[in-house]
């Protein structure tokens, strides 16, 4: 790993850094998967509005975590973020859902995503969720990351992006307590 990252709860002051990583990772990871017209319209100011609305609202049910790195000789900066909360559709009957997980491209493959994902599932569990789910674009190689983290494919759906229906797969963790105990060794 390049340097240890510290995971903490996001504050409203983190909205800009989160929006920057959100746009950067979508445009890098989803080119050729999500229609170009959708990605071109995904600008930092637009995405910033979304995150400001969440982080400025003290009653929001979405928990947002950031991973901060402080490389030697450089300033501290946010290199990844993720969010979770109750299952959004309630249709699958899982206690919690990981809504987002994005690691800045130059920090991927360094252990950050795995650490942040475990912290998100720990947060779901702390809030009373015994099970969790995450929806991933079926063509996104990140789905193998979720398989590697023990997720089981349990459902499929089509979601429109710029009018184009894209296939998504749901991965589930049916026993969060057991999974967390195993992760903590
Ligand atoms: C997917 C993502 C979150 C993973 O984060 P990361 O920091 O790159 O992953 P880590 O380095 O923490 O990897 C943790 C483990 O998962 C494995 N892994 C990571 N990406 C993987 C992949 N695409 N396929 C299979 N295994 C993968 C690693 O080998 C590692 O295994 P180990 O613990 O046995 O050594 C990150 O690459 C990312 O943000 N990708 C682009 C955006 C995206 O698609 N996000 C998911 C949206 S649903």
């Amino acid at each position: 790993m390049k340097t240890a990252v510290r995971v903490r709860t996001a504050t409203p002051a983190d909205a800009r850094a989160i929006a920057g990583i959100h746009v950067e990772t979508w445009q890098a990871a989803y080119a050729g998967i999500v229609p170009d017209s959708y990605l071109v319209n995904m600008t930092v100011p637009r995405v910033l509005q979304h995150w400001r609305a969440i982080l400025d609202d003290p009653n929001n049910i979405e928990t947002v975590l950031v991973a901060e790195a402080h490389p030697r000789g450089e300033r501290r900066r946010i290199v990844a973020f993720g969010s979770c909360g109750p299952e959004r559709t309630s249709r699958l009957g899982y206690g919690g859902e990981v809504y987002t997980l994005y690691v800045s491209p130059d920090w991927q493959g360094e252990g950050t995503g795995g650490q942040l994902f475990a912290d998100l599932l720990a947060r779901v569990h702390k809030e009373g969720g015994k099970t969790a789910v995450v929806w991933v674009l079926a063509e996104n190689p990140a789905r193998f990351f979720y398989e590697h983290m023990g997720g089981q494919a349990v459902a499929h759906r089509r979601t429109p992006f710029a009018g184009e229906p894209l296939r998504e797969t749901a991965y589930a963790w049916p026993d969060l307590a057991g999974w967390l105990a195993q992760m903590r060794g």
Side-chain angles (χ1 to χ4, degrees):
M1 190 189 276
K2 281 180 180 169
T3 183
V5 294
R6 186 175 73 106
V7 176
R8 62 166 174 81
T9 303
T11 71
D14 299 322
R16 184 165 286 280
I18 290 172
I21 293 173
H22 193 154
V23 172
E24 190 187 15
T25 48
W26 267 69
Q27 291 179 343
Y30 295 160
I33 299 178
V34 170
D36 286 349
S37 56
Y38 189 93
L39 294 177
V40 164
N41 281 319
M42 208 175 168
T43 61
V44 172
R46 280 197 186 149
V47 175
L48 180 58
Q49 278 180 15
H50 165 81
W51 287 108
R52 280 214 172 116
I54 290 168
L55 294 169
D56 286 347
D57 178 0
N59 298 317
N60 202 293
I61 50 162
E62 183 165 350
T63 296
V64 185
L65 301 181
V66 291
E68 255 183 349
H70 195 178
R72 199 178 256 276
E74 290 178 35
R75 66 182 176 81
R76 190 186 300 277
R77 68 183 174 105
I78 292 170
V79 297
F81 74 92
S83 64
C84 62
E87 192 204 328
R88 282 179 287 197
T89 65
S90 312
R91 264 186 253 135
L92 296 176
Y94 290 96
E97 178 173 344
V98 171
Y99 304 147
T100 61
L101 178 61
Y102 296 106
V103 180
S104 182
D106 53 340
W107 280 79
Q108 289 173 13
E110 301 283 338
T112 306
Q115 184 182 339
L116 195 48
F117 184 65
D119 286 347
L120 288 164
L121 289 191
R123 194 60 83 95
V124 166
H125 187 250
K126 196 173 161 202
E127 305 281 326
K130 292 182 168 42
T131 58
V133 68
V134 56
W135 283 97
V136 195
L137 284 170
E139 283 187 54
N140 183 358
R143 77 175 202 274
F144 300 117
F145 163 79
Y146 293 113
E147 286 179 11
H148 187 80
M149 301 303 281
Q152 300 166 11
V154 290
H156 301 279
R157 71 182 180 194
R158 281 182 190 274
T159 302
F161 286 85
E164 200 177 302
L166 298 185
R167 262 186 343 117
E168 290 185 296
T169 301
Y171 284 94
W173 284 260
D175 171 20
L176 275 189
W179 187 85
L180 288 166
Q182 202 184 334
M183 285 299 284
R184 287 165 184 153

